[in-house]
Amino acid sequence: MVLKMITIDELLNNNLLYVPSINESILITDFIAGTKFSCNSGIYIYYNAFGDCLYVGKSIMLNKRMLEHITYNRGNSDLHKYIKNNAKCYISVIFISDKTHLDIYETYLIH
């Protein structure tokens, strides 16, 4: 038996996969002040004040991971420096609990 590879675009075109919508968005300043996401697991997207995507990531512990990016400089050091110098950034989150779907959607959003 020969297995055929299927692309993400083929999955989307055949309605086997859908692009989820953003569930919540929070300004970085509000997050630092105590506002947190209501779900633990998902894809997160950092945007600048103009709506340009800065970074896409995934986590099963969203609020902890956001703090790492903002305060502890874990992960992407360029993102940390940008956030530190540009307080008007915001984070949007797509809630996803399935780890396989986290990988698929993160890859789709990056590319």
Side-chain angles (χ1 to χ4, degrees):
M1 177 167 64
V2 177
L3 294 177
K4 180 187 178 235
M5 294 294 291
I6 188 166
T7 67
I8 291 176
D9 286 333
E10 288 174 313
L11 289 170
L12 290 167
N13 292 337
N14 292 311
N15 295 322
L16 299 171
L17 189 67
Y18 67 96
V19 178
S21 58
I22 291 173
N23 296 101
E24 288 184 36
S25 294
I26 298 176
L27 287 169
I28 298 273
T29 51
D30 292 341
F31 187 86
I32 292 168
T35 303
K36 301 298 181 235
F37 292 105
S38 61
C39 186
N40 286 330
S41 181
I43 304 294
Y44 57 91
I45 306 134
Y46 279 85
Y47 294 96
N48 65 16
F50 305 104
D52 301 320
C53 178
L54 300 172
Y55 186 84
V56 175
K58 66 179 182 228
S59 180
I60 58 169
M61 298 175 68
L62 284 170
N63 291 310
K64 180 179 182 239
R65 187 67 179 127
M66 298 307 98
L67 280 175
E68 290 173 352
H69 278 302
I70 295 167
T71 61
Y72 302 127
N73 194 15
R74 290 194 183 164
N76 188 305
S77 60
D78 290 334
L79 177 64
H80 175 74
K81 288 176 194 171
Y82 188 88
I83 291 168
K84 188 175 177 182
N85 295 318
N86 297 279
K88 295 193 184 220
C89 298
Y90 64 97
I91 314 161
S92 291
V93 172
I94 301 166
F95 299 143
I96 300 171
S97 58
D98 183 274
K99 289 182 182 182
T100 302
H101 288 159
L102 281 173
D103 290 334
I104 291 169
Y105 291 125
E106 179 192 36
T107 300
Y108 179 78
L109 290 171
I110 288 172
H111 299 286

